[in-house]
């Protein structure tokens, strides 16, 4: 651990302006010491030392007017309060009490109701809902979480963050309120050593049981137990569903203030660090509460908050979990955090917090984009880039003005990630590359955007001063900054507020309603609801899947549902969902679609009584297979025996495409780099689709190399190997996990020896030769940093080749050329077409110019001296290019000063407009671009250009006549005013 010795004056005792922290409270990795001299009667001077944080050391150094000296090395006798240690101590505490320690889930949840993982309980939602059975009676986790609803408070308060770790212990019907409370107290006081007299408790106002447990069982004085209302201490998952009272533990930083008028919401005195949710009721449609059959415990302890308490630092940012990142940013900005002003400190805290969120989001597969969770990470990145520039970080902060600084700071985040998510280090090259690309892309437009924003803000302030109104930035300007310059609306709002300017959110919403909805789609509550399927799940056992080895079997009908409701029988022509005790049908998962086939019910040996055609199979309520289909014949009844038969040909197509997908991923890693990773997939009967992280389109040569590799592996006729092994062993062996999939302790590994090894529950060929052939159909970008390949293999490959051959033969017949001559013939035809089009355009332009020469004499003379010529005319269906030629002709023909506005309707639902002003008009402060842009809005469009010449368009031809009248009247009025 590093230390600092500060020289101090010898004339008097140097008293520190902050509490003297214990050594164990110093953030792991860094400690600083003050050395002072104090005169003692009869014994001269004595040395006096005190350890403190770096921020405190810098502040004291500034106060004393002394420089920070060189660092010296000291020994670290106690690292038990480091963030990593707190996390491990929490998990060990509950592991020793029978809890299964489970890994953190991804920040990208397998839940459509939330955009990102916002709570530790999210991965257990299906268990709380009763949709899947519990695998363990109780568990403990350290869950990575993201919340951006309080982003504006990051750096302002001591506790708000976008990325945080939630330590949690969970009980699934095992223990309940009493045990949860006793363990929470033991953890806080015995394990972490928090003084009991500094701990306050909140309980729900009607939860007498919890109050009694805290006061009588634990012994907390009733003066330190607060009853709070439903808003604070009653947890609900939604309008209906599981809910219950909660109880929270608070740490008191200033116990000397006493009990009178103590407010637990006072952030300057208290911090809530542990929340216990007692999930004991089900909220019904009418709002009434009924006891749950299985009472659960859901808790959350904020790691950063506990670290702040134990490390005795003034806020979460100065803990060892975040402060090293702040130090890295401080170094790049050439500022000292300890002696910085409040705004500089806030900016450094924003970078420290946001960079953690960014790195872990990208590591979990989120790529910057303008939609959904991609917009969340892009917004955070751009906020950090702008904040870094405000701090004075130029380029990479190391002298390269063309470089990027985010990867430099991300290095520190990756370094600190070892005990949070070990996979981050493996993904570091891709993370750094993505950050560099995104930062440089933003910087390219940032300066222009900043200049435009400054102009718009100045205009808004000037306008407000002239009119005596409140300054407001137009919604359309906010949208322009977002759409053209990549400025997130939130950043524009921040900058505007710094200047005292509000923004027109209604106008912005009109311009970009869809994107705005997506940007705010990150729900910050986890919704649970008891569905009709709960009763089914209780009565139907998991489905036994035998489809890896057999494609038909006899089974029993356990349940039938129609529109989600259980029924005893279903007749011919009805859609039905069938639940069997066992099945050969593969249920959709891992990107592979469900099998098709039939269920046969026989009467006697050979007489069919009923037939159900199965067109989809899904997993529900855990591991129950739901066979979706239509009754083609007879009546289907619960309890009957059926023969379940998978469509063999379609299953083979799925197997071929699934194995080909594995080969494709292996080929991509060989050709474009090991850092590329899967971002989604589809394994269908007619094709495969594979999404992957990459920053540019693949070259034709790269696609050809990928096809060559895969077809070579097919030709090698390699036998696949399938094994079931512990997840830890599979990862150690190098097996690749499928995107978005969750795994148990035992996993299935599919290996093409020497080529590919993946964790996969899908169906595969036995030998690569069964694939027969592989062909890439398309490669395209689907989002920023995400590429998609579609391909065919096996029977679909043969069909694709035959179809292409058929189309080529038809083309050769039509063009009357050989296959090898098709390209040349088409190029010649395109050139002939281009020449004809140019000739046609020239004729249209000449016609427009001729019409312009005819109407030139119609120009109106306006102004007091009749010195201005104004010509506003409609040119019917003239195209935009010809309209431009006509305006240019008139601009040269009419004597300066002159103003020309022309409009036309070149096609259905289209409007073209052009404005041409001579220098004499422009000198009066009338600009063609701004003028025609306003007129175009009347036609449902927009546009702009230079001060002397501009074009615009619209979508409402029916408004053209009135728009031109408006243009004429405004021009005349303005020129008459200017001419006075």
């Amino acid at each position: 651990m590093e230390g600092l010795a500060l020289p101090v004056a010898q004339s008097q005792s140097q008293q520190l302006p902050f509490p003297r922290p214990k050594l164990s409270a110093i953030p792991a990795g860094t400690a600083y010491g003050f050395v002072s001299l104090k005169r003692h009667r009869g014994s001269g001077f004595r040395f006096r030392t005190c350890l403190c944080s770096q921020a405190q050391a810098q502040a004291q150094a500034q106060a004393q007017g002394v420089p920070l000296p060189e660092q010296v090395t000291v020994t670290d006798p106690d690292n038990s309060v480091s963030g990593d240690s707190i996390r491990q101590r929490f998990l060990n505490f509950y592991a020793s009490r029978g809890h299964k320690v489970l890994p953190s889930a991804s920040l990208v949840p397998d839940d459509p109701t939330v955009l990102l993982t916002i709570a530790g309980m999210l991965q257990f939602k299906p268990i709380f809902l009763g949709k899947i059975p519990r695998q363990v009676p109780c568990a403990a986790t350290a869950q990575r979480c993201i919340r951006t609803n309080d982003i504006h408070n990051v750096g302002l308060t001591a506790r708000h963050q976008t990325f945080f770790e939630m330590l949690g212990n969970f009980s699934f019907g095992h223990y309940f309120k009493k045990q949860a409370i006793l363990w929470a107290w033991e953890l806080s006081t015995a394990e972490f050593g928090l003084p009991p007299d500094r701990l306050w408790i909140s309980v729900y106002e009607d939860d007498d049981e919890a109050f009694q447990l805290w006061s009588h069982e634990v012994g907390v004085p009733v003066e330190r137990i607060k009853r709070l209302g439903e808003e604070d201490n009653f947890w609900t998952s939604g309008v209906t569903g599981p809910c219950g009272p909660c109880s929270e533990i608070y740490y008191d930083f200033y116990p000397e203030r006493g009990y009178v008028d103590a407010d637990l919401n006072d952030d300057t005195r208290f911090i809530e660090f542990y929340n216990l949710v007692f999930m004991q009721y089900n909220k019904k449609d009418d709002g009434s509460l009924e006891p749950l059959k299985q009472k659960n415990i859901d808790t959350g302890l904020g790691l950063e908050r506990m670290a702040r308490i134990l490390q005795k630092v003034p806020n979460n940012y100065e803990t060892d979990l975040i402060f090293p990142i702040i130090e890295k940013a401080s170094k790049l900005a050439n500022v000292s955090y300890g002696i910085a002003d409040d705004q500089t400190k806030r900016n450094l805290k924003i970078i420290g917090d946001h960079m953690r969120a960014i790195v872990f989001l990208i590591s979990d597969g989120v790529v910057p984009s303008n939609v959904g969770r991609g917009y969340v990470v892009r917004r955070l990145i751009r906020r950090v880039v702008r904040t870094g520039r405000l701090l004075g970080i130029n380029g990479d902060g190391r002298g390269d003005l063309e470089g990027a600084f985010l990867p430099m700071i991300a290095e520190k985040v990756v370094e600190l990630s070892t005990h949070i998510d070990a996979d981050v280090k493996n993904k570091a090259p891709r993370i750094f590359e993505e950050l560099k690309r995104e930062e440089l892309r933003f910087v390219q437009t940032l300066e222009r955007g900043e200049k435009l924003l400054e102009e718009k803000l100045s205009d808004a302030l000037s306008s407000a001063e002239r009119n005596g109104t409140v300054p407001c930035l137009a919604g359309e300007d906010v949208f322009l900054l977002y759409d053209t310059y990549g400025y997130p609306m939130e950043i524009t709002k921040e900058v505007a507020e710094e200047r005292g300017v509000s923004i027109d959110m209604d106008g912005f919403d009109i311009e970009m309603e869809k994107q705005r909805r997506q940007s705010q789609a990150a729900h910050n509550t986890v919704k649970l609801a008891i569905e009709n399927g709960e009763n089914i799940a209780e009565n139907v056992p998991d489905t036994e899947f035998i489809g890896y080895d057999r494609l038909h079997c006899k089974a029993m009908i356990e349940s039938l549902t129609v529109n989600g409701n259980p029924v005893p029988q279903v007749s011919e022509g009805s859609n039905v969902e069938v639940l069997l005790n066992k099945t050969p049908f593969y249920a959709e998962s891992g990107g592979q679609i469900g099998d098709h086939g039939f269920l046969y019910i026989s009467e006697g040996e050979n007489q069919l009584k009923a037939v159900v055609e199965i067109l989809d199979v899904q997993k529900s309520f855990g591991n129950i297979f739901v066979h979706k289909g239509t009754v083609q014949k007879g009546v289907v009844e619960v309890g009957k025996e059926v023969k379940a038969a998978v469509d063999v040909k379609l299953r083979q197509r799925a197997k071929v495409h699934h194995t080909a997908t594995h080969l494709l991923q292996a080929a991509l890693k060989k050709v474009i780099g090991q850092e590329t990773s899967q971002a989604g997939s589809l394994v269908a009967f007619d094709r495969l689709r594979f999404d992957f992280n990459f920053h540019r389109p693949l070259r034709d040569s790269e696609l050809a190399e990928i096809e060559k590799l895969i077809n070579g592996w097919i030709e090698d006729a390699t036998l696949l190997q399938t094994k079931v092994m512990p997840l830890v062993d599979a990862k150690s062996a190098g097996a690749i996990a499928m995107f978005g999939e969750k795994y148990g302790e035992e996993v299935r590994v599919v290996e093409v020896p020497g080529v590919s090894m993946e964790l996969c529950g899908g169906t595969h060929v036995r030998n690569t030769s069964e694939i027969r052939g592989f062909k890439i159909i398309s490669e395209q970008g689907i989002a920023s940093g995400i590429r998609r390949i579609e391909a065919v293999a096996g029977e679909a490959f043969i069909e694709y080749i035959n179809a292409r051959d058929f189309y080529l033969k038809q083309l050769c017949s039509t063009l009357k050329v050989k296959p090898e001559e098709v390209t040349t013939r088409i190029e010649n035809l395109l050139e002939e077409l281009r020449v004809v089009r140019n000739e046609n355009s020239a004729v249209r332009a000449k016609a427009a110019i001729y019409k312009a020469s005819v109407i030139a004499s119609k120009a109106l003379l306006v102004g007091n001296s009749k010195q201005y010529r104004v010509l506003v005319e409609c040119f019917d269906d003239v195209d935009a290019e010809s309209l431009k030629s006509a305006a240019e002709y008139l601009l040269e023909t009419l004597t300066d000063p002159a103003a020309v506005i022309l409009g036309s309707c070149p096609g259905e639902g289209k409007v073209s407009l052009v404005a041409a002003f001579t220098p004499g008009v422009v000198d009066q402060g009338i600009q063609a671009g701004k003028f025609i842009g306003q007129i175009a809005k009347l036609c449902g469009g927009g546009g702009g250009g230079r001060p002397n010449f501009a074009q615009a368009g619209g979508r409402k031809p029916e408004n053209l006549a009135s728009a031109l009248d408006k243009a004429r009247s405004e021009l005349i009025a303005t020129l008459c005013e200017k001419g006075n």
Side-chain angles (χ1 to χ4, degrees), residues 402-417:
E402 302 298 322
F405 73 89
L406 295 189
M408 308 298 170
I409 300 178
E411 289 176 359
K412 178 59 67 175
V413 182
V414 172
E415 180 184 322
L416 297 171
S417 71

Side-chain angles (χ1 to χ4, degrees), residues 633-760:
K633 176 183 178 181
V635 176
V636 183
E637 300 177 55
V638 174
K640 292 291 185 180
E641 184 180 73
V642 300
K643 178 183 178 182
V646 174
D647 187 313
V648 177
K649 291 184 177 180
L650 292 182
R651 166 65 80 85
Q652 181 63 19
R653 283 172 172 258
K655 289 164 59 177
V656 162
H657 280 138
H658 206 147
T659 305
T661 301
H662 286 210
L663 298 182
L664 174 57
Q665 176 159 226
L668 281 166
K669 288 182 176 292
K670 277 185 172 291
V671 174
I672 64 175
Q674 290 294 323
E675 68 276 6
T676 190
S677 61
Q678 182 178 345
S681 68
L682 171 69
V683 176
F685 304 133
D686 61 338
R687 72 192 188 287
L688 68 87
R689 188 177 72 209
F690 188 82
D691 301 340
F692 57 99
N693 296 298
F694 203 55
H695 60 278
R696 62 168 174 81
L698 269 62
R699 304 182 185 94
D700 290 342
S701 59
E702 291 170 329
L703 293 172
E705 179 64 19
I706 289 168
E707 287 185 347
K708 182 179 178 181
L709 279 170
I710 294 173
N711 284 310
W713 292 328
I714 293 170
E715 187 179 356
D716 289 342
T718 304
L719 285 170
L720 274 70
Q721 297 179 6
T722 304
K723 307 171 187 174
V724 176
M725 62 177 70
L727 177 60
V728 175
D729 294 347
K731 287 188 173 182
S732 299
I736 299 173
M738 292 285 286
F739 176 82
E741 288 295 297
K742 293 182 178 179
Y743 300 96
E745 293 185 2
E746 295 284 319
V747 293
R748 184 170 180 263
V749 179
V750 177
E751 181 180 9
V752 182
V755 177
S756 166
M757 181 189 293
E758 296 192 22
L759 308 183
C760 183

Side-chain angles (χ1 to χ4, degrees), residues 510 874 876 903-913 935-942 952-964:
I510 292 172
C874 179
D876 299 327
S904 69
C905 301
E908 185 176 352
K910 292 183 179 180
V911 173
S912 290
L913 291 163
I935 299 303
K937 288 181 181 179
L938 301 176
C939 297
R955 301 182 301 277
K956 297 179 179 179
E958 64 273 16
N959 293 351
L960 178 59
S962 59
L964 291 177

Side-chain angles (χ1 to χ4, degrees), residues 8 33 452 529 782:
V8 295
L452 177 62
I782 59 170

Side-chain angles (χ1 to χ4, degrees), residues 83-84 86-96 98-106 117-125 127-128 136 138-145 164-172 175 187 192 273-275 297-304 419-420 742:
D84 288 338
I86 294 170
R87 183 191 305 108
Q88 195 58 51
R89 288 168 68 186
F90 177 93
L91 296 175
N92 290 346
F93 179 89
Y94 281 105
S96 67
H99 291 64
K100 175 69 175 178
V101 175
L102 298 175
S104 169
S106 168
T117 297
I118 57 173
M121 60 79 67
L122 193 60
Q123 67 170 302
F124 304 115
K125 174 178 171 179
I127 300 176
F128 290 138
V136 293
C138 47
T141 64
Q143 176 63 52
R144 308 188 299 277
C145 299
F164 58 94
E165 285 187 81
M166 189 62 75
L167 309 179
N169 55 289
F170 306 89
S171 169
F172 313 115
Y175 62 84
L187 175 77
F192 289 134
F273 64 88
Y274 207 171
N275 183 24
I297 290 292
D298 160 26
T299 78
L301 184 149
L303 174 60
E304 292 81 4
H419 299 292
I420 305 173
K742 293 182 178 179

Side-chain angles (χ1 to χ4, degrees), residues 359-494:
V359 167
F360 284 99
L361 279 168
I362 295 177
S363 176
D364 279 351
V366 181
V367 177
S369 70
N370 285 337
V371 295
R373 56 182 67 97
Y375 180 70
V376 173
V377 72
R378 171 163 286 173
R379 174 188 174 190
L380 291 170
I381 287 173
R382 293 187 170 185
R383 202 163 188 252
V384 171
V385 172
R386 178 178 176 269
T387 302
R389 288 169 65 90
L390 291 175
L391 287 169
I393 302 177
N394 295 312
D396 66 355
R398 297 178 177 178
D400 181 4
L401 298 181
E402 302 298 322
F405 73 89
L406 295 189
M408 308 298 170
I409 300 178
E411 289 176 359
K412 178 59 67 175
V413 182
V414 172
E415 180 184 322
L416 297 171
S417 71
T418 302
H419 299 292
I420 305 173
D421 180 7
D423 285 342
V424 173
K425 286 190 176 180
N426 299 328
K427 299 171 183 175
R430 178 171 63 82
I431 295 170
F432 298 153
E433 184 63 32
E434 189 67 53
L435 288 174
K436 178 181 179 181
R437 184 166 54 253
E438 185 70 12
E439 178 181 346
L440 295 181
R441 180 186 294 139
F442 182 43
V443 168
Q444 288 175 357
T445 58
L446 185 60
E447 291 182 359
R448 286 181 293 158
E450 286 175 338
K451 183 179 179 181
L452 177 62
L453 178 56
E454 179 59 33
E455 290 177 1
K456 297 295 184 183
L457 290 173
S458 297
D459 290 345
L461 289 166
S462 299
S463 176
E465 185 177 354
R466 286 195 309 270
N467 302 322
T469 57
V470 177
C472 181
L473 191 63
E476 61 192 36
D477 292 333
V478 179
F479 173 75
L480 176 66
L481 286 160
Y482 171 86
D483 190 51
T484 305
Y485 297 97
Y487 256 68
M489 177 273 294
E490 295 83 0
I491 290 182
T492 301
K493 185 177 181 181
E494 280 184 33

Side-chain angles (χ1 to χ4, degrees), residues 8-27:
V8 295
Q10 297 184 11
S11 60
Q12 58 185 1
S13 173
Q14 300 293 321
Q15 299 297 325
L16 301 180
F18 43 81
R20 188 176 298 112
K22 299 177 183 178
L23 179 60
S24 62
I26 304 303

Side-chain angles (χ1 to χ4, degrees), residues 883-893 902 914 916 946 949:
L883 199 67
K884 176 186 175 184
S885 299
E888 290 172 341
Y889 169 82
L890 289 168
L891 198 64
E892 295 174 0
T893 302
L902 302 179
V914 64
R946 304 189 306 274
F949 198 94

